[in-house]
Amino acid sequence: AEVHIIGQISSASGFSKSALFCKWGLQAGGAWKVLGGLKEGQTQVDNSAIGEVAYFSHPIDIHYATRGLQGWPKIWIQVFHQDSFGRNELVGYGFTHIPSSPGLHNIEVVTWKPSGNLTDTISQHFLGGGHQLKNTELIFSSQERYRLTTLAMGKVFAQVHIVLRNFDRFGIEC
């Protein structure tokens, strides 16, 4: 069976910083093979005002082959702020599952970032930077994520078209 995911990361809103960009990727299980397209990428920096919508219109186009439904693709996103010196600061992590039904879907990825104790927060305020995950698999894996203390951040919006092919051969109705 085959799955085509065609769409775009369109925008982000609700962040307390401007000059945002996203790093993104698609994570799928072991039975999934990429036939074409890129499974990760990065948007351009949109220098919108603080609190306004950042527009990306960054394309996503990937073609998978699979032998089963287990490990259905998820999209993970890291949102960064770029300051006037070109330094990049993490402002959010997030992920969501790619819809499994064919057609056009609007996706909303809610983001969060790790928080620290009071000393960490004061240090971050005066020195900049912030907490980042050592292992980015925690973004989409729930194994150890429950231990993290996090802060809610903004949302990233995407639109994807899902095209399914040959699922009927495996007894799955689309």
Side-chain angles (χ1 to χ4, degrees), residues 37-73:
L38 299 174
K39 61 182 198 174
E40 58 184 35
Q42 179 176 315
T43 69
Q44 83 284 352
V45 176
D46 182 11
N47 201 3
S48 59
I50 293 174
E52 290 187 6
V53 176
Y55 293 99
F56 305 120
S57 299
H58 183 82
I60 298 171
D61 188 355
I62 191 164
H63 181 190
Y64 281 110
T66 183
R67 291 173 274 142
L69 294 178
Q70 191 171 11
W72 191 268

Side-chain angles (χ1 to χ4, degrees), residues 70-84:
Q70 191 171 11
W72 191 268
K74 309 171 208 185
I75 185 167
W76 56 264
I77 291 183
Q78 298 178 40
V79 182
F80 290 88
H81 157 72
Q82 189 172 73
D83 68 13
S84 58

Side-chain angles (χ1 to χ4, degrees), residues 15-23 42 45 50 77-93 111-114 120-133 151 153:
F15 291 92
S16 60
K17 304 269 186 171
S18 62
L20 302 176
F21 70 94
C22 297
K23 291 183 180 181
Q42 179 176 315
V45 176
I50 293 174
I77 291 183
Q78 298 178 40
V79 182
F80 290 88
H81 157 72
Q82 189 172 73
D83 68 13
S84 58
F85 299 108
R87 297 177 297 192
N88 300 327
E89 175 186 344
L90 175 80
V91 293
Y93 294 111
T111 64
W112 52 271
K113 74 174 188 177
D120 294 333
T121 304
I122 292 170
S123 173
Q124 180 180 345
H125 176 76
F126 288 108
L127 300 176
H131 305 290
Q132 293 189 16
L133 298 176
L151 297 170
M153 300 308 287

